[in-house]
Amino acid sequence: MDQRAQTWPARLRRSQPVRDLRTEPRCVPPPYGPRPPRCPRSPPCCSPPPPPTPPTTGDTIALPVRDALAALPVQDEDRTGYERTKFRHWIDADRDGCSTRAEVLLAEAVTAPEQSTGCQLTGGSWYSPYDDTYFTAARALDIDHLVPLAEAWDSGASTWTAAERQAYANDLDDDRALIAVSAASNRSKADQDPTTWQPSATGYRCTYATDWVAIKTRWSLAVDPAEQTAISATLGTCPNAPIEVTLAR
């Protein structure tokens, strides 16, 4: 042995076997097309993960309400061509004799009314959260589309089919879509969005803004810039509560 090798410091001596690169697994680029991403030093070879699949109709999503608001498309409103009759409403979808209006009154009654032939309701009591008021007569209540029909039209429903607009106008699958409220509060609201109208019951405003975002998310509706600003300002004073929404379209 070379005498010099015996005097080399131990740290300079080769302590690992020589790697035979011919026998190590390696990533082989395809013969054609773009070069694949750089592979790690050790096998197995890697490939980029597939992009997430966007949610589709029928999927249920859950996210903080402020994130949901930020995810809504922003565009100017256009009411051209709107007519309320383009949203067929108060149908009897399950053919049980009760219209959508009656179904909401039955579902939201504080004390249940008596139901007679033709789904006529007598007695019972209801709470109107818009103005923090109780009622004991169904005729004193309106069924409000939380996001009004005209607002839905402005925000994207103008491109829907007649069947989709009917489904929106009679949406019993999400408890937030239709709400029994006093006739006075509903007519005060009319077709306004949160930019120009808020419930007089201030304690309900966080719920109102949160539910507004949930319904717009459910139906893939847009918000206009002023509407987005107004809702964001309200939600800034509220818990960033999670919303769970089943997409209707």
Side-chain angles (χ1 to χ4, degrees):
M1 178 182 295
D2 190 334
Q3 293 296 321
R4 291 174 298 176
Q6 297 180 8
T7 61
W8 286 350
R11 61 186 177 87
L12 296 181
R13 298 176 190 161
R14 186 181 300 276
S15 58
Q16 299 293 330
V18 176
R19 294 170 61 190
D20 186 349
L21 298 179
R22 294 171 300 175
T23 62
E24 290 191 2
R26 58 194 179 94
C27 293
V28 180
Y32 305 104
R35 186 176 182 84
R38 183 183 297 275
C39 295
R41 288 182 176 273
S42 58
C45 295
C46 65
S47 60
T53 303
T56 59
T57 302
D59 287 348
T60 298
I61 60 174
L63 70 170
V65 64
R66 292 175 200 159
D67 291 354
L69 174 61
L72 293 175
V74 180
Q75 65 184 42
D76 292 332
E77 294 183 348
D78 183 3
R79 195 158 296 186
T80 303
Y82 170 72
E83 295 175 9
R84 187 174 175 84
T85 54
K86 291 183 177 180
F87 292 81
R88 186 182 174 213
H89 52 287
W90 303 169
I91 64 171
D92 180 7
D94 58 5
R95 301 183 183 277
D96 67 349
C98 294
S99 68
T100 301
R101 170 186 163 82
E103 298 279 13
V104 176
L105 288 171
L106 287 166
E108 297 191 1
V110 177
T111 56
E114 294 183 5
Q115 180 179 339
S116 59
T117 304
C119 206
Q120 295 297 313
L121 306 180
T122 55
S125 65
W126 291 265
Y127 175 69
S128 169
Y130 285 0
D131 44 10
D132 190 25
T133 306
Y134 285 89
F135 293 88
T136 56
R139 64 178 179 274
L141 298 160
D142 283 352
I143 304 305
D144 182 42
H145 293 89
L146 190 92
V147 176
L149 301 180
E151 171 68 23
W153 178 273
D154 296 347
S155 306
S158 60
T159 65
W160 297 355
T161 65
E164 287 175 318
R165 288 195 288 270
Q166 176 176 300
Y168 178 84
N170 299 276
D171 187 4
L172 294 174
D173 293 327
D174 191 309
D175 293 342
R176 298 163 291 201
L178 298 168
I179 181 171
V181 296
S182 68
S185 65
N186 186 46
R187 292 163 199 183
S188 168
K189 173 185 172 181
D191 57 11
Q192 299 178 83
D193 70 24
T195 306
T196 54
W197 190 89
Q198 295 279 348
S200 61
T202 57
Y204 184 69
R205 290 183 180 178
C206 284
T207 300
Y208 184 74
T210 299
D211 290 353
W212 184 281
V213 172
I215 295 305
K216 287 226 160 178
T217 300
R218 171 168 165 76
W219 288 93
S220 301
L221 294 170
V223 291
D224 66 63
E227 175 189 356
Q228 183 189 52
T229 298
I231 297 171
S232 181
T234 299
L235 292 178
T237 66
C238 308
N240 191 22
I243 61 170
E244 185 174 294
V245 177
T246 299
L247 301 180
R249 65 181 310 278

